[in-house]
């Protein structure tokens, strides 16, 4: 590691996936991992291997294909978790095991029911188990923010002696404020023996909206790794957002004097991909990746920017990848051009048959929409081809009648396990009528918690991307669908959500 390098540890595929309903399939995770590698992140935390067989397989598959980033699995400090993580990262060119245990009194007493001595012993043991698989072992003291400083020093000293190479200090509950967090990092580095032999890391949650500020303060206190996620996804209010950390360090080099390996022009494409796969839209006023992040509304600002851009802009839109959504293909593009663009986007369809089917969908889309962008291709393949949620329900036919003065009415045919079923319904609007008609067939019992529509690219011929969020029996899933017709996109999203509810993926949560 170079002296002035800041390691970017991306945990979109692990902590990000802990956002309600953001669970991803293996193929989706692979696409994001490839894009993260292109973005230049140093470490990809690909998942939590012991959570489920699916998580294990996703990490293993990512470890097989990613060559330039370190591939990491999370593991609680138990022998089974650490060994599962070790097996999952085995194929990696560079593999890391990230093991953790809680160190705050509230967690040790109530959750772990362990004494501080037992916690130290278990932390050391976990690091030793992990070292049987790799030299690259990271240790985290969960809830470090509410842990006693002397105890943290003791735990960190012990795990460094056991062979941990990265020491992560998490604000698990988003409780800290920047001045305290930077100071905590500084004191730990000062007090822990051999602190100069390890990389100090921070991992902050955003419950009080200070995850990025706290992370940057820890960097000023000596941290040289930041754990973060694309679009700030993550448990509850999320994690520190990668794009904000990277652009703050780059824009304020005068303060941080640090470099990252991030290709910043890949930030916006990565943000869009993650948003489209997880169904978590990016708020328009979100720093760096929000649609309004570089648009100037007031006349005075517009005038200033036209005369001299730096009057109101501290970053350039093109430096973070705005405008990088290349116009890729059009109506006349052939099968080979289509295949090679998918490949460049990190999308590999498993068979010629799937490629042919995707190409025919692409041609249909090109008939409706003259210019096809990368985002359209991502939506097209997500929608139909590489979702491995069980395909119990499929949309076969939809006819919606919506006119002024009349009650909107929908006629729907879906196939359920290959058997066609029809229904019709009235509704408050065409989408409402469509959903009611589908529900009258499936009787899902699911509660619709969210319905949102976003345009994938600009223009009125853009595809609309619809997200629905369902909750049923304590489980939350997001369904997505895309189409130039937003009512069709809505029906697809509804059925995609139902398919996800049907696929019973049992997963353990790392922090429970
Ligand atoms: O927030 C947290 O403490 C975590 C740890 C597992 C690092 O996600
Ligand atoms: Zn976390």
């Amino acid at each position: 590691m170079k002296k002035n390098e800041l390691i970017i540890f991306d945990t979109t595929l692990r902590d990000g996936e802990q956002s309600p309903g953001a669970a991803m399939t293996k193929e989706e995770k692979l696409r994001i991992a490839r894009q993260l590698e292109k973005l230049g992140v140093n470490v990809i935390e690909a998942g939590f291997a012991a959570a489920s067989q699916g998580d294990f397989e996703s990490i293993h598959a990512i470890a097989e294909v990613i060559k330039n980033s370190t591939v990491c699995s999370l593991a609680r400090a138990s022998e089974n978790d650490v060994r599962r993580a070790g097996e999952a990262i085995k194929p990696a060119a560079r593999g890391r095991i990230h093991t953790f245990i809680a160190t705050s009194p509230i967690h040790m007493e109530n959750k772990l029911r362990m004494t501080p001595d037992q916690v130290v012993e278990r932390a050391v043991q976990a690091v030793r188990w992990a070292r049987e698989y790799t030299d690259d072992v990271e240790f985290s003291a969960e809830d470090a923010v509410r842990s006693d400083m002397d105890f943290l020093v003791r735990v960190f000293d012990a795990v460094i002696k056991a062979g941990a190479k990265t020491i992560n200090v998490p604000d698990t509950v988003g409780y800290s404020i920047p001045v305290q967090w930077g100071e905590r990092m500084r004191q730990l580095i000062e007090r822990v023996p051999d602190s100069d032999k390890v990389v100090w890391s921070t991992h902050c949650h955003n419950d009080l909206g200070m995850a990025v500020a706290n992370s940057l303060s820890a960097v000023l206190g000596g941290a040289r790794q930041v754990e973060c996620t694309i679009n700030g996804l993550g448990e509850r209010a999320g994690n520190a957002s990668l794009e904000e950390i990277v652009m703050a360090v780059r824009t304020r080099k005068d303060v941080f004097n640090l470099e990252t390996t991030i290709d910043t022009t890949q930030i916006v494409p990565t943000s869009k991909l993650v948003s489209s796969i997880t169904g978590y839209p990016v708020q328009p006023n979100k720093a760096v990746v929000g649609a309004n992040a570089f648009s100037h509304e007031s006349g005075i600002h517009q005038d200033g920017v036209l005369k001299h851009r730096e009057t109101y802009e501290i970053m350039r839109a093109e430096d973070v990848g705005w405008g990088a959504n290349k116009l890729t293909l059009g109506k006349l593009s052939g099968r080979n051009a289509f295949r090679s663009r998918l490949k460049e986007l990190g999308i590999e369809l498993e068979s010629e048959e799937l490629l042919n089917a995707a190409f025919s969908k692409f041609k249909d889309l090109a008939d409706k929409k003259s210019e096809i962008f990368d985002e359209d291709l991502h939506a097209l393949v997500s929608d139909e081809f590489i979702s491995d949620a069980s395909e119990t329900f499929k949309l076969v036919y939809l006819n919606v009648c919506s006119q002024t003065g009349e009650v909107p009415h929908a006629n729907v045919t879906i196939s359920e396990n290959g058997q066609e079923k029809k229904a019709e319904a009235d509704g408050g609007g065409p989408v409402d009528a469509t959903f009611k008609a589908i529900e009258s067939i499936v009787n899902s019992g699911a509660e619709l918690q969210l319905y949102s529509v976003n345009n994938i690219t600009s223009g009125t011929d853009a595809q609309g991307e619809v997200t629905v969020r369902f909750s049923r029996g304590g489980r939350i899933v997001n369904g997505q669908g895309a189409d130039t017709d937003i009512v069709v996109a809505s029906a697809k999203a509804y059925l995609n959500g139902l398919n996800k509810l049907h696929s019973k993926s049992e997963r353990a949560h790392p922090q429970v």
Side-chain angles (χ1 to χ4, degrees), residues 458-488:
S458 54
T460 48
D461 69 347
Q463 290 196 85
E465 188 169 48
V466 173
T467 302
V468 296
R469 183 169 303 152
F470 288 128
S471 99
R472 191 174 68 187
R475 204 163 152 228
I476 295 177
V477 297
N478 286 327
Q480 286 103 39
D483 202 280
T484 47
D485 179 329
I486 58 161
V487 185
V488 174

Side-chain angles (χ1 to χ4, degrees), residues 14-15 74 98 100 140 142-143 168 170 172 203 205 511:
R14 198 278 299 170
D15 214 317
L74 184 71
H98 173 195
F100 75 99
S140 284
E142 189 191 6
D143 203 21
N168 184 38
T172 305
H203 173 116
H205 280 269
Q511 282 147 318

Side-chain angles (χ1 to χ4, degrees), residues 267-372:
I267 286 179
V268 169
T270 313
S271 160
K272 290 192 171 185
L273 178 65
V274 169
S275 169
S276 133
I277 287 180
T278 58
Y280 269 72
V282 175
Q283 76 197 54
N285 56 333
K286 164 89 173 64
V288 185
V289 294
N292 296 349
F294 292 87
S295 62
H296 299 273
E297 195 61 27
S298 102
I300 298 174
H301 287 210
Q302 285 171 355
D303 182 52
V305 169
L306 287 175
K307 285 182 176 139
H308 186 70
R309 173 149 58 180
E310 280 85 33
T311 48
Y312 286 102
E313 278 189 7
I314 56 165
M315 300 171 271
R316 295 187 317 170
E318 55 272 35
D319 288 351
V320 298
W322 282 108
N325 59 339
K326 284 188 225 143
L327 168 61
T328 43
L329 302 165
K331 214 175 153 130
L332 301 175
S333 306
R335 211 165 145 280
N336 277 340
F338 177 70
R339 183 207 302 265
S340 53
R341 189 64 201 148
L342 287 187
K343 202 151 183 237
E344 277 165 37
L345 294 175
I347 302 167
E348 276 172 44
L349 296 177
E350 275 160 24
S351 63
E352 277 304 293
E353 212 183 326
L354 276 184
L355 182 79
N356 289 340
F359 184 62
S360 125
K361 289 260 163 194
F362 159 74
K363 284 284 177 190
D364 288 347
L365 183 62
D367 274 339
K368 296 184 207 152
K369 192 173 183 294
S370 49
E371 299 172 328
I372 303 225

Side-chain angles (χ1 to χ4, degrees), residues 11 14-15 18 170-172 203-205 227 235 239 511:
T11 181
R14 198 278 299 170
D15 214 317
Q18 289 172 218
D171 178 1
T172 305
H203 173 116
C204 296
H205 280 269
E227 302 197 352
E235 187 80 33
N239 287 72
Q511 282 147 318

Side-chain angles (χ1 to χ4, degrees), residues 434-449:
T434 305
F435 287 2
K436 283 187 173 137
I438 295 176
E439 262 310 314
S440 72
I441 302 173
V442 299
N443 291 314
S444 72
E447 188 194 330
L448 182 66
Q449 291 195 326

